[in-house]
């Protein structure tokens, strides 16, 4: 199982699409590692590109419908090769969410008010998420403050994470 | 309790229910292209599992960048080509015989009512036009589909959209779907199946239904779906005539799939088209939609007619109707990409290609290229494109470029004017 704790990159907008996460022109790469420099290249938040803030981050916290648009699994791969194995959002696009779990990565939904609280408490500050996957608990720390939030992951999604992804899971289970 | 069409398809394909509402369903078709499949192939090879569940059910096309533009895209094609040969996949469409996946696979009769279809491409929802459950998936789902012939989904929740009224002249399926997305939003149907019903859908051609279903993903939907009817049977008849004694018997069989009258829906949306005008997007999200008249005068540098949304013969006919005897504005680069060799060939026979060329359009081979800024019409920073494609995301057709989505009629009229404008086909 992968590490789901890390420093937080806050992306304060809904509907961040997979073209913004990894532009189509890089889909000609045949290895996941080659995607590393291009994560969030076309994303603009308040006229600012946040790709310079990725270094050292392990968790993304964002708003609703994260990962909408294209089905490209290059989006979770680009996150993963940058050390980001966990995205916490108000909601996800279906394919992106499935792709995360299929890769053994974690995409966790929290209610809008919890997401609001995380942004208002921690955005702009050095923030760390400690994930206890066994206890379904996030401990979020930053600037002397600490918030504990429990989360839910379905049994199926949990088994994908524990199996390291859908290929290993399906290979064991289906003829 | 009755069932929706999507529920009926799931019930007949479910092979496992590992937990909760997750169903692992068997697949009738797995479609592949050269952008998302090679990494799945490489992974299967590295696992020592270079095999496919059924070579007859796997259909493969090179369409996103074709002919290859550089060494990397050439290698993607080669990985796909070599894999198809190794695994005895006969339905492989390479340069000269290839077209945009969601146009060529229906044209070849590979999608039937009641089918389950996946592809590593979000616009796979297009194939729901045939009464199939068709969903875009990532590379890992594709890989398992190729190896095992199964895919996991939540049991489908359905949003029914009842489309009523009369379309005005010059208002098309593209305007309807832009209008719908504008109403429900890019997150409006996330994780749901959109079932398009009502008199407007009933009178639509298969091409128009494909345009409608194609953009279901832009509202977040897993699949769009239309009921199979006589239009579906007529379109498929040349492929299915040996399987049924008559069109009527095929129709009776297909219509068993139609949602029961007491089926349960997550949402029911009424969408009346009586007052619908030609639509265009103005921002970086497909739900940022306005009537064309509100954007009239917006200068365009490029006009692109093509793609899995609007690159079919009907689309080219509509655009040619607007362009006939006219020249596009000097500053406009017009690009038309017939979506398949079949469409291209038909357009030549009908004189449509000549109309495009006489108007000043560049006619490219069938490819997805420009739609996602990969080839054949990439925008420069600050340029504006009037496009019949499906996504206006920031940077979609080239970094710093702006894309306005619209119908082929509006795109053709905008090419002539040099700015976004309604076509003369539109009668208020």
């Amino acid at each position: 199982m992968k590490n789901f704790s890390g420093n937080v990159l806050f992306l304060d907008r809904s509907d961040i699409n997979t073209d913004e996460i990894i532009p189509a022109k890089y889909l000609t790469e045949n290895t996941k590692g080659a995607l590393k420099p291009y994560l969030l290249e076309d994303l603009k938040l308040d006229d600012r590109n946040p790709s310079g803030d990725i270094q050292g981050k392990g968790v993304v916290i964002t708003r609703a419908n994260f990962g909408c648009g294209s089905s490209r699994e290059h989006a979770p791969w680009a996150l993963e090769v940058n050390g980001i194995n966990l995205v916490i959002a108000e909601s996800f696009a279906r394919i992106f969410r499935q792709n995360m779990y299929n890769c053994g990565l974690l995409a966790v939904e929290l209610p809008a008010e919890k997401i609001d609280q995380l942004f208002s408490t921690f955005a702009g500050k050095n923030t760390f998420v400690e994930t206890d996957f066994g206890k379904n608990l996030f401990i979020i720390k930053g600037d002397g403050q600490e918030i504990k939030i429990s989360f839910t992951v379905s049994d199926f999604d949990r088994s994908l994470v524990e199996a390291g992804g859908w290929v290993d899971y399906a290979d064991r289970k289906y003829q | 309790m009755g069932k929706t069409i999507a529920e009926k398809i799931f019930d007949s394909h479910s092979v496992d229910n590992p937990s909760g509402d997750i169903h692992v369903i068997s697949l009738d078709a797995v479609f592949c292209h050269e952008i998302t499949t090679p990494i799945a192939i490489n992974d299967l090879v590295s696992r020592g599992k270079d095999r496919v569940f059924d070579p007859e059910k796997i259909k493969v096309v090179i369409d996103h960048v074709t002919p290859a533009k550089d060494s990397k895209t050439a290698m993607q094609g080669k990985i796909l080509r070599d894999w198809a040969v190794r695994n005895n996949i006969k339905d492989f469409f390479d340069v000269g015989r290839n077209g945009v996946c969601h146009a060529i696979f229906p044209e070849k009769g590979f999608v039937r009512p009641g089918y389950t279809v996946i592809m590593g491409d979000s616009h796979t929802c297009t194939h729901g036009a045939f009464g199939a459950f068709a969903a875009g998936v990532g590379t890992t789902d594709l890989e398992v589909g190729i190896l095992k012939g199964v895919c996991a989904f939540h049991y489908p929740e359905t949003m029914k959209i009842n489309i009523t009224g009369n379309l005005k002249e010059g208002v098309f399926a593209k305007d309807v779907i832009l209008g719908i997305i504008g109403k429900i939003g890019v997150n409006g149907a996330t994780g749901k199946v959109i079932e398009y019903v009502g008199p407007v859908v009933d009178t639509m051609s298969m091409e128009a239904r494909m345009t409608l279903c194609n953009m279901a993903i832009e509202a977040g939907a897993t699949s769009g779906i239309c009921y199979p009817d006589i239009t579906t049977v007529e379109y498929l008849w040349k492929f299915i005539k040996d399987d049924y004694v008559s069109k009527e018997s095929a129709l009776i069989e297909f219509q068993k799939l139609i949602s029961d009258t007491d089926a349960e829906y997550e949402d029911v949306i009424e969408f009346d088209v009586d007052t619908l005008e030609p639509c265009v997007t103005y921002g970086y999200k497909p739900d940022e939609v306005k009537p064309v008249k509100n954007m009239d005068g917006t200068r365009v540098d490029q006009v692109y007619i093509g793609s899995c949304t609007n690159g079919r013969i009907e689309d080219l006919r509509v655009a040619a109707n607007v362009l006939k005897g006219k020249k596009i504005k000097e500053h406009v680069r017009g690009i038309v990409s017939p979506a398949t060799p079949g469409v291209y060939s038909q357009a030549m026979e009908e004189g449509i290609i000549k109309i495009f060329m006489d108007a000043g359009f560049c006619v490219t081979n069938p490819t997805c290229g420009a739609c996602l800024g990969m080839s054949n019409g990439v925008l420069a920073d600050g340029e504006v494109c009037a496009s019949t494609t499906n996504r206006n995301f920031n940077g979609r057709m080239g970094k710093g470029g702006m894309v306005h989505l619209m119908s082929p009629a509006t795109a053709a009229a905008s090419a002539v004017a040099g700015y976004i404008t309604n076509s003369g086909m539109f009668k208020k």
Side-chain angles (χ1 to χ4, degrees):
Chain A
M1 218 165 62
K2 300 178 195 301
N3 169 39
F4 300 115
S5 298
N7 293 310
V8 178
L9 176 66
F10 286 95
L11 300 177
D12 193 3
R13 208 196 76 202
S14 289
D15 306 317
I16 291 175
N17 64 62
T18 51
D19 277 75
E20 291 171 312
I21 298 170
I22 182 82
K25 64 184 169 190
Y26 303 119
L27 305 187
T28 60
E29 300 294 346
N30 282 321
T31 64
K32 298 174 188 179
L35 303 171
K36 189 171 181 195
Y38 311 120
L39 178 66
L40 304 182
E41 187 181 276
D42 278 350
L43 180 64
K44 272 200 182 136
L45 300 174
D46 298 327
D47 280 332
R48 196 181 154 270
N49 180 273
S51 62
D53 306 334
I54 295 166
Q55 183 70 29
K57 302 297 195 299
V59 177
V60 164
I61 297 180
T62 185
R63 301 284 183 177
N65 199 28
F66 186 75
C68 60
S70 154
S71 65
R72 66 191 67 158
E73 203 160 304
H74 304 68
W77 296 336
L79 291 166
E80 186 184 9
V81 297
N82 278 283
I84 297 169
N85 294 336
L86 165 64
V87 181
I88 301 170
E90 187 185 325
S91 65
F92 294 94
R94 186 200 74 85
I95 305 174
F96 176 85
R97 186 185 179 288
Q98 192 63 47
N99 287 344
M100 288 287 283
Y101 283 99
N102 282 348
C103 293
L105 304 171
L106 207 46
V108 175
E109 295 182 345
L110 293 178
E113 58 272 20
K114 292 282 183 200
I115 296 288
D116 282 341
Q117 185 190 9
L118 292 178
F119 271 96
S120 60
T121 311
F122 296 114
K125 299 166 186 163
N126 289 328
T127 308
F128 187 86
V129 173
E130 190 183 315
T131 302
D132 188 332
F133 189 60
K135 290 183 181 159
N136 287 356
L137 188 69
F138 294 132
I139 302 164
I140 301 121
K141 302 171 189 171
D143 202 29
Q145 300 201 65
E146 180 178 305
I147 296 178
K148 291 184 181 176
I149 298 177
S150 58
F151 61 90
T152 54
V153 174
S154 76
D155 292 345
F156 181 65
D157 290 338
R158 178 170 292 275
S159 56
L160 291 179
V161 172
E162 286 167 353
W166 170 233
V167 178
D168 289 310
Y169 178 98
D171 197 34
R172 277 206 312 272
K173 209 164 168 198
Y174 304 108
Q175 280 301 307
Chain B
M1 181 57 67
K3 301 259 184 205
T4 64
I5 180 168
E7 288 172 336
K8 290 182 189 184
I9 295 171
F10 264 61
D11 289 352
S12 62
H13 288 76
S14 183
V15 295
D16 191 19
N17 175 211
S19 80
D21 71 336
I22 299 289
H23 283 251
V24 175
I25 59 170
S26 62
L27 301 170
D28 296 307
V30 176
F31 294 158
C32 302
H33 65 50
E34 87 282 13
I35 296 296
T36 52
T37 316
I39 289 185
I41 295 169
N42 289 345
D43 193 59
L44 287 170
V45 170
S46 73
R47 289 169 184 268
K49 295 179 186 299
D50 182 20
R51 54 180 187 264
V52 302
F53 82 108
D54 183 346
E56 302 268 311
K57 291 181 178 171
I58 296 180
K59 314 293 181 185
V60 187
V61 68
I62 296 177
D63 63 355
H64 275 56
V65 184
T66 180
K69 65 173 180 177
D70 55 18
S71 301
K72 284 179 181 173
T73 50
M75 183 52 70
Q76 289 183 308
K78 180 171 165 52
I79 292 169
L80 203 63
R81 199 175 289 124
D82 292 350
W83 168 72
V85 171
R86 279 201 310 275
N87 286 286
N88 205 26
I89 297 165
K90 301 293 185 204
D91 290 313
F92 177 75
F93 301 92
D94 209 332
V95 172
R97 297 172 296 281
N98 59 354
V100 175
C101 50
H102 308 307
I104 197 164
F105 291 144
E107 197 182 276
K108 298 288 177 188
F110 294 156
V111 188
R112 310 284 167 79
Y115 266 25
T116 53
V117 183
I118 65 164
M119 181 174 194
D121 191 288
S122 62
H123 293 107
T124 306
C125 50
T126 309
H127 307 286
F130 291 85
F133 174 80
V137 297
T139 292
T140 301
D141 272 339
L142 180 70
E143 183 175 336
V144 171
I146 287 167
L147 185 64
K148 303 282 180 179
V150 299
C151 194
F153 291 97
H154 287 276
Y155 197 68
E157 293 177 344
T158 299
M159 169 188 279
K160 178 158 82 172
I161 302 183
N162 186 30
I163 308 174
T164 55
N166 293 296
L167 284 174
K168 286 182 191 153
E169 215 177 318
V171 182
F172 299 93
K174 181 63 162 285
D175 302 303
V176 175
I177 189 60
L178 286 174
I180 288 170
I181 296 165
K183 177 171 174 168
I184 68 176
V186 293
N187 198 11
T190 299
K192 295 172 189 161
V193 171
I194 296 180
E195 192 178 296
Y196 300 102
V197 301
V200 175
V201 185
D202 294 343
T203 56
M204 277 183 177
S205 65
M206 288 313 299
E207 285 80 359
R209 292 178 196 180
M210 282 189 258
T211 301
L212 209 55
C213 288
N214 174 270
M215 290 189 71
I217 181 69
E218 308 314 331
T222 306
S223 187
I225 201 161
C226 298
Y227 294 159
D229 62 6
I230 192 63
T231 307
T232 322
V233 173
E234 294 283 1
Y235 186 99
L236 289 174
W237 187 242
K238 64 183 169 186
F239 306 108
I240 62 173
K241 59 182 166 42
D242 295 334
D243 303 332
Y244 300 92
V245 294
S246 65
K247 289 178 182 173
E248 290 69 31
S249 65
L251 183 63
I252 288 166
E253 195 58 31
F254 291 163
Q255 293 201 319
K256 291 176 184 166
L257 290 164
I258 289 177
S259 298
D260 298 324
T261 48
D262 57 344
E264 205 168 285
Y265 291 95
E266 275 295 301
D267 285 299
V268 179
I269 308 264
E270 297 293 331
F271 192 78
D272 191 282
V273 299
D274 271 343
T275 58
L276 184 70
E277 294 192 16
C279 291
V280 57
T281 61
Y282 59 87
Y284 293 122
K285 296 197 299 164
D287 61 359
E288 294 176 325
V289 174
K290 284 179 180 173
V292 169
K293 67 177 182 220
N294 294 11
M295 291 288 286
D296 203 313
T298 306
R299 185 188 149 101
V300 298
D301 303 293
Q302 178 170 302
V303 172
Y304 181 73
I305 297 175
S307 85
C308 56
T309 317
N310 283 123
R312 299 184 182 82
I313 190 66
E314 282 189 1
D315 303 312
L316 270 52
R317 280 181 192 137
V318 164
N321 188 12
V322 173
L323 291 170
K324 194 168 188 175
K326 299 193 178 80
K327 299 275 183 204
I328 64 174
K329 202 75 178 173
E330 270 170 29
H331 74 263
V332 172
R333 309 185 299 271
I335 300 170
V336 58
S337 182
T340 70
V343 171
Y344 201 145
S345 191
Q346 179 74 24
M348 282 208 290
E349 278 176 32
E350 294 182 20
I352 289 170
I353 296 297
K354 180 148 174 44
I355 292 171
F356 273 107
M357 292 184 76
D358 287 349
F361 264 78
C362 159
V363 185
T364 82
N365 62 302
T367 175
C368 314
C371 169
L372 68 169
M374 292 192 91
S375 65
N376 291 45
V378 181
L379 299 178
D381 191 10
E383 288 191 325
V384 176
C385 185
S387 181
T388 68
T389 55
N390 42 51
R391 290 204 170 122
N392 55 344
F393 298 157
N394 184 19
R396 174 75 178 180
M397 291 183 81
K399 198 175 180 69
M402 181 79 195
V403 181
H404 297 285
L405 306 176
M406 60 187 72
S407 75
T410 310
S414 302
V416 173
Y419 51 82
I420 292 173
T421 195
N422 266 315
S423 74
M425 296 176 86
F426 174 55
K427 306 275 189 287
K428 286 183 190 176

